[in-house]
Amino acid sequence: FFQKTLTAVKTWFTLFGWSKGQNPISIPYSLRCDVCIVQLTIAQEKNFRRKLDKDKGFYEMLLRLNGQPLPGIAASQSLPPDPVERMFQLHWQRSELLSFLKSQGAFLSHVMPEFLLAPEDYKIWAEVNTGMRVGSMRSSGKLSGKRIFVLEDSTFETMSKRAWTDVLLQIYKVFVLPRVSSHIVPDPSSLESLQNMPGIKSEPLCSNIYSRYERTILIWLNKNYEKNRKVVWKDSQRGGIPPMRWIVNFDQDLLDGLVLAAQIAAYCPYLIPTHFIKMYTDPRTHEQLLHNCLMLVKALRAVNLEIDIKV
């Protein structure tokens, strides 16, 4: 599940995160470089300034999505030649990044700034804070009231990958999802067939799982599915019209492909006779679920919206 999430995040930011076209990224390697990592082969030079490509740097991506630069941090950074001083500056930058995202509503209390460092800088951080070499996972005593965990190399890479993935997910949540406007989504209770179905409220404090923007999308999914299920599958070849359902999440309720097909059919009705009527409307086996997903992918490819979808 985590690997699929990472792939989806990497694909979206590669395609849509940059101001001038695609920019393939890897998580966490290219991101750690994009936030001004100084290579060890250059660290011994007396003066070094790493200038990021203004269309490719991580902070430029953040500027594009957010509309304003990260306070106190510019796209072009001067880093001290001394490895320890460099580590402190990079650690401060990561701390500022996390604090800024949290102030915008991101949930990142589990991400430590040291996990966003490159391995060589993390080792220096560990040695400075614990006085010990990094060799295995161990915990030092408390330092300034905070317990310090030192991770071995492979564990650190796993933690760093997870931390950067969570950072990107929260960037998407606080800077991209708010562009969803509730004004373009009619109240689903206006549909007669939905009047007896429990509603999904979009008020900010109605859920501790989904944001108001995610709940707006759920409302849109419910509305289009209920409006279109009898239209899309009235001539179904595999099971008839699917039953009414209440869509409350983005994983289980979308697994069979029917909800997504109903959304696409609302905007591309010409795909109904060529693709959607061939879907199983009551899939019960893995083979039938796979068949539905394949039909959905074929439909997306027919309108050039596959976005590197893999089945």
Side-chain angles (χ1 to χ4, degrees):
F1 174 81
F2 173 68
Q3 186 59 45
K4 290 180 179 178
T5 302
L6 185 148
T7 300
V9 170
K10 182 170 63 174
T11 299
W12 191 92
F13 279 91
T14 291
L15 295 176
F16 307 114
W18 316 91
S19 59
K20 293 185 178 180
Q22 301 180 15
N23 179 35
I25 65 170
S26 61
I27 302 174
Y29 311 107
S30 61
L31 296 174
R32 294 189 305 212
C33 290
D34 282 345
V35 285
C36 306
I37 297 299
V38 180
Q39 302 299 324
L40 293 179
T41 56
I42 308 177
Q44 297 177 353
E45 294 182 7
K46 292 182 180 180
N47 296 305
F48 176 72
R49 175 184 290 268
R50 188 180 192 280
K51 295 184 177 180
L52 296 175
D53 182 335
K54 290 189 176 182
D55 296 323
K56 300 298 182 181
F58 174 82
Y59 290 120
E60 286 296 331
M61 179 193 73
L62 198 61
L63 171 62
R64 176 181 178 272
L65 297 177
N66 175 36
Q68 59 182 343
L70 190 65
I73 299 179
S76 180
Q77 297 289 329
S78 296
L79 295 173
D82 178 74
V84 176
E85 293 181 4
R86 182 190 71 235
M87 178 274 296
F88 278 125
Q89 181 166 330
L90 291 172
H91 192 276
W92 171 80
Q93 289 179 10
R94 306 307 191 282
S95 298
E96 291 298 303
L97 170 65
L98 294 174
S99 296
F100 173 71
L101 293 176
K102 290 176 186 177
S103 72
Q104 302 299 309
F107 297 141
L108 290 168
S109 59
H110 63 292
V111 176
M112 301 293 103
E114 52 268 21
F115 295 147
L116 303 179
L117 296 171
E120 57 269 21
D121 292 309
Y122 173 75
K123 290 180 181 180
I124 297 174
W125 174 88
E127 292 175 8
V128 168
N129 283 278
T130 67
M132 296 184 296
R133 288 281 178 181
V134 179
S136 59
M137 182 185 293
R138 55 185 177 271
S139 170
S140 74
K142 290 185 178 180
L143 184 64
S144 302
K146 180 180 179 181
R147 184 172 291 276
I148 304 298
F149 290 93
V150 180
L151 309 179
E152 61 185 4
D153 292 347
S154 61
T155 305
F156 170 76
E157 284 296 337
T158 299
M159 186 69 73
S160 182
K161 182 181 294 186
R162 179 60 184 266
W164 274 109
T165 301
D166 287 347
V167 166
L168 291 179
L169 283 169
Q170 292 300 308
I171 287 175
Y172 183 88
K173 187 189 81 171
V174 299
F175 296 139
V176 180
L177 275 184
R179 300 174 188 172
V180 176
S181 173
S182 60
H183 297 294
I184 64 174
V185 182
D187 186 347
S189 62
S190 63
L191 293 173
E192 181 180 355
S193 58
L194 283 183
Q195 289 181 354
N196 296 325
M197 179 181 291
I200 296 176
K201 297 181 180 179
S202 59
E203 286 78 7
L205 300 180
C206 288
S207 172
N208 62 351
I209 299 176
Y210 292 131
S211 68
R212 60 181 298 182
Y213 310 106
E214 291 168 309
R215 294 197 299 279
T216 297
I217 295 174
L218 287 174
I219 292 173
W220 173 70
L221 291 173
N222 276 283
K223 179 250 184 184
N224 271 334
Y225 176 76
E226 184 55 34
K227 179 181 179 180
N228 293 314
R229 66 184 178 89
K230 295 181 180 179
V231 175
V232 177
W233 291 286
K234 65 178 180 178
D235 299 319
S236 172
Q237 300 174 359
R238 303 179 188 270
I241 297 174
M244 178 187 293
R245 66 170 69 177
W246 189 29
I247 304 156
V248 296
N249 58 60
F250 295 101
D251 43 22
Q252 294 296 321
D253 290 341
L254 304 184
L255 280 179
D256 60 13
L258 296 175
V259 174
L260 294 177
Q263 315 310 310
I264 299 171
Y267 303 95
C268 305
Y270 52 85
L271 293 174
I272 295 174
T274 58
H275 295 78
F276 299 143
I277 64 171
K278 301 176 184 179
M279 299 175 71
Y280 289 95
T281 57
D282 187 23
R284 297 179 180 273
T285 66
H286 291 296
E287 290 77 14
Q288 291 175 345
L289 290 170
L290 176 60
H291 170 86
N292 281 4
C293 291
L294 289 173
M295 294 308 303
L296 185 62
V297 170
K298 288 180 179 179
L300 290 171
R301 287 175 176 163
V303 292
N304 296 317
L305 286 176
E306 71 273 17
I307 315 178
D308 196 32
I309 289 178
K310 295 180 176 62
V311 178

